[in-house]
Amino acid sequence: MPGRAELKHRIVTRFQRYLANPVNRRLPFQTLLETTGRSSGLPRRTPVGGRRVGDSFWLVSEFGTKSQYVRNIQADPAVRVRIAGRWHRGTARLLPEDDARARLRALPRFNSAAVRAFGTDLLTVRVDLAD
C-alpha cells in the first residue's frame, strides 16, 4: 500500500495531467515551461507559477525530482519559458540547497499556496534567461 505522500502525488499528478494542465496550456497568458522529453525528444509544455527577477525566472516544483519536467531538465537543461505571452530561451538549474519554502514567499501567492498544499518534495528551479 502506498504511503500518504505517494498517494498525494498520484492524485495531484493525475488531476494536473488530465484536467488542469490541458486547460491551462490553452490560456494565452499562462506561464509555460517547455522542456525536451527525455525519451521522446519532443517539446513538453507544463503550466507553472513563478516570477521573473531580472534575467532569471524562479519557480518551485511541488514534487521535486519526481516531476516529469524536472526529470526532463536533468536530461537536458535547455528550456523555454513563456512569460506574459512571450517565449524566452534559457538554461534551467535545479537548486536543492535553496530554501524552497522561503522561495515560495517571493513568488505569486495563489500558485505558492497550491504548491505548499499539494507538494511533498519541494525543489527550487531557476531558469537563467538568454533573451
Side-chain angles (χ1 to χ4, degrees):
M1 180 164 190
R4 180 183 161 117
E6 180 60 31
L7 183 60
K8 190 177 192 181
H9 176 257
R10 283 186 195 173
I11 291 169
V12 172
T13 55
R14 284 193 180 147
F15 170 78
Q16 289 172 334
R17 181 175 295 143
Y18 298 112
L19 186 62
N21 289 357
V23 170
N24 287 333
R25 273 194 290 268
R26 290 185 176 95
L27 299 174
F29 285 96
Q30 169 67 50
T31 301
L32 296 176
L33 175 68
E34 183 180 83
T35 60
T36 301
R38 62 192 175 282
S39 298
S40 68
L42 298 173
R44 301 295 183 198
R45 292 181 176 174
T46 305
V48 295
R51 175 168 284 140
R52 182 174 184 162
V53 179
D55 290 332
S56 297
F57 181 81
W58 293 84
L59 66 131
V60 174
S61 167
E62 59 203 337
F63 297 116
T65 57
K66 280 187 164 185
S67 294
Q68 297 301 314
Y69 71 87
V70 170
R71 295 172 71 189
N72 289 343
I73 288 168
Q74 288 175 315
D76 181 359
V79 300
R80 292 192 324 150
V81 183
R82 187 178 77 182
I83 305 166
R86 183 168 173 251
W87 285 101
H88 304 269
R89 295 191 182 283
T91 303
R93 306 202 188 288
L94 307 178
L95 303 172
E97 69 282 355
D98 190 66
D99 182 345
R101 289 201 176 277
R103 179 71 54 195
L104 285 171
R105 289 192 288 275
L107 299 179
R109 272 191 202 155
F110 179 75
N111 182 74
S112 293
V115 169
R116 274 192 297 276
F118 300 119
T120 58
D121 187 21
L122 305 183
L123 175 65
T124 301
V125 179
R126 183 186 76 221
V127 178
D128 296 324
L129 302 171
D131 56 358

